[in-house]
Amino acid sequence: MRRDFCDGVGIARLLNATLVLPKFEVAAYWNESSGFADVFDVNYFIKQMNGFVKVVRELPPEISSKEPFRVDCSKRKGQFDYIESVLPSLLKHHYISITPAMSQRRDRYPQYAKAALCQACYSALRLTKSLEKKANELLEAIPKPFLSLHLRFEPDMVAYSQCQYSGLSPTSMEAIEAARGDDRKPWTGEAARIWRKRGKCPLMPNEAAFILQAISVPTNTNIYLAAGDGLMEIEGLTSIYTNVVTKSALLSSEDFKSMHGNTKAALDYYVSINSDSYVATYFGNMDKMVAAMRAFKGLHKTLFLSRRAFSEFTSEGLEGKQLMEALWKVHKEDFVMGRGSALPDCFCEFEL
């Protein structure tokens, strides 16, 4: 959502439009009903964006009573595409809503739109004071030094990947099946093998632990687990790395139960950008945003574990010491440099 909102700022600047603070989607799976103001400091954001983009909290009554004209921006490629294809809808309807623009080419933006997007991403979006206070309390409670591990093996994530796994517990299998629905059936046969070999399948906790050992991360390392509530098969990690802490264990049960999915994710984000090192088992939106912010802050110990390399090597029959050596070679350069893919899609003016 943070990435999509930053994109929205860039698009608003391209179109010389006023930006209305967004409403978050309601997601029952994540116990989600929070709004923008529950996560981000609204007054600070509006103040910081002054001179870049005009921002309003809500629409005037004469417009808010209408449904916005919906524009699909998912395939837009650059500034001229927006000006030629989206601006006419804005001028005609005066009030439009846009879908996330995942494939847009931000590098093609003019400098003024790049500046607005970067101002939003790196300077204007900060947590509410109460949430930042809670995040700092969590950060202080974690034994130091520590590694923040973003481990993605929740039922919805596995269901979305359409991957099959063997050896999972009955509880995990039931949770995955419940999250699949009718449109996310797993690949089978040769298609499943190709899909996995392309690195499309989330790493299981025991696979992540194996790669961490391959790159010589000591098993007594303090690890903060940045992950959703429904994380499965966690024993595969904690049986090897014994100093693993979670926000549910460090926060009071009352605090934790009252939090929604977005506020929990915000805590993970805050802890991860301030951790001594950050390791991700996926290359998702949060990982990209954390890596970019860490680089912006001068924290370069950031590493993405390669699902593709793990799948390729295991499909070739490598195991044990041979597999560890092969995985070390794949991750060696990024691990030694301590940066990994630190600046995905970033064009902001600062030096590493």
Side-chain angles (χ1 to χ4, degrees):
M1 284 190 287
R2 185 186 180 99
R3 184 214 63 187
D4 291 343
F5 186 60
C6 291
D7 283 347
V9 168
I11 295 167
R13 185 66 186 91
L14 276 175
L15 303 179
N16 196 27
T18 297
L19 185 74
V20 185
L21 292 181
K23 290 181 171 62
F24 291 166
E25 290 183 351
V26 175
Y29 182 86
W30 292 111
N31 179 31
E32 192 51 67
S33 60
S34 58
F36 186 87
D38 294 310
V39 179
F40 298 112
D41 186 330
V42 174
N43 291 333
Y44 182 81
F45 178 77
I46 293 174
K47 182 179 179 182
Q48 290 295 308
M49 292 312 300
N50 184 37
F52 290 91
V53 172
K54 183 180 179 182
V55 181
V56 296
R57 292 171 180 267
E58 53 190 27
L59 290 162
E62 63 270 19
I63 298 179
S64 62
S65 60
K66 306 174 185 177
E67 281 293 313
F69 182 78
R70 302 189 182 281
V71 179
D72 183 1
C73 292
S74 60
K75 301 300 180 184
R76 306 297 169 191
K77 299 301 182 185
Q79 61 162 320
F80 298 111
D81 201 353
Y82 282 102
I83 293 168
E84 292 172 5
S85 303
V86 181
L87 183 57
S89 295
L90 177 63
L91 295 175
K92 179 180 178 180
H93 299 279
H94 306 295
Y95 172 32
I96 65 173
S97 69
I98 56 177
T99 55
M102 293 179 67
S103 61
Q104 65 170 288
R105 290 294 303 274
R106 302 169 188 87
D107 58 316
R108 296 180 183 174
Y109 281 11
Q111 197 63 33
Y112 61 84
K114 291 180 180 180
L117 193 154
C118 283
Q119 175 71 1
C121 251
Y122 295 100
S123 300
L125 279 175
R126 75 176 183 188
L127 302 182
T128 64
K129 290 180 180 178
S130 61
L131 192 54
E132 187 167 306
K133 181 183 178 184
K134 189 62 60 183
N136 273 314
E137 289 174 3
L138 179 58
L139 190 61
E140 286 297 315
I142 301 170
K144 311 293 189 301
F146 76 98
L147 177 156
S148 179
L149 177 65
H150 192 206
L151 189 58
R152 299 305 313 272
F153 203 70
E154 302 96 347
D156 68 321
M157 187 68 184
V158 176
Y160 180 81
S161 73
Q162 296 180 267
C163 294
Q164 288 187 336
Y165 293 85
S166 60
L168 297 184
S169 70
T171 303
S172 296
M173 292 299 296
E174 288 174 14
I176 294 167
E177 286 304 315
R180 279 200 199 279
D182 296 327
D183 58 341
R184 287 291 174 186
K185 297 300 181 185
W187 297 105
T188 58
E190 183 64 10
R193 189 190 68 80
I194 294 172
W195 190 248
R196 178 172 289 276
K197 197 170 181 181
R198 287 174 60 192
K200 297 296 185 179
C201 298
L203 289 170
M204 292 174 61
N206 65 311
E207 294 171 339
F210 187 90
I211 302 176
L212 291 177
Q213 285 181 289
I215 58 176
S216 301
V217 174
T219 55
N220 64 348
T221 299
N222 296 316
I223 295 178
Y224 172 78
L225 200 57
D229 297 344
L231 192 64
M232 303 179 296
E233 307 291 323
I234 187 59
E235 298 80 9
L237 173 73
T238 56
S239 62
I240 298 170
Y241 286 88
T242 53
N243 296 335
V244 176
V245 296
T246 63
K247 53 186 174 292
S248 60
L250 296 173
L251 294 173
S252 72
S253 58
E254 185 178 336
D255 272 344
F256 190 75
K257 288 177 182 177
S258 66
M259 291 184 130
H260 292 286
N262 287 332
T263 47
K264 290 177 184 177
L267 293 181
D268 283 342
Y269 173 81
Y270 188 89
V271 169
S272 294
I273 65 173
N274 290 290
S275 60
D276 296 290
S277 54
Y278 178 73
V279 174
T281 64
Y282 206 73
F283 192 53
N285 294 316
M286 176 170 163
D287 305 309
K288 294 174 185 177
M289 294 296 290
V290 168
M293 183 59 80
R294 285 176 60 80
F296 186 75
K297 294 174 62 139
L299 301 169
H300 305 313
K301 291 183 179 179
T302 303
L303 183 69
F304 297 99
L305 303 187
S306 176
R307 291 167 290 150
R308 184 167 189 165
F310 186 85
S311 297
E312 286 182 348
F313 293 148
T314 52
S315 69
E316 292 169 7
L318 295 186
E319 56 185 23
K321 188 176 179 181
Q322 267 191 317
L323 180 57
M324 280 194 169
E325 289 175 352
L327 287 168
W328 165 245
K329 289 177 183 177
V330 167
H331 293 90
K332 181 178 179 180
E333 185 176 345
D334 283 347
F335 183 77
V336 172
M337 290 174 65
R339 278 173 51 184
S341 302
L343 288 173
D345 235 354
C346 185
F347 39 62
C348 298
E349 295 295 326
F350 61 86
E351 293 183 3
L352 289 175

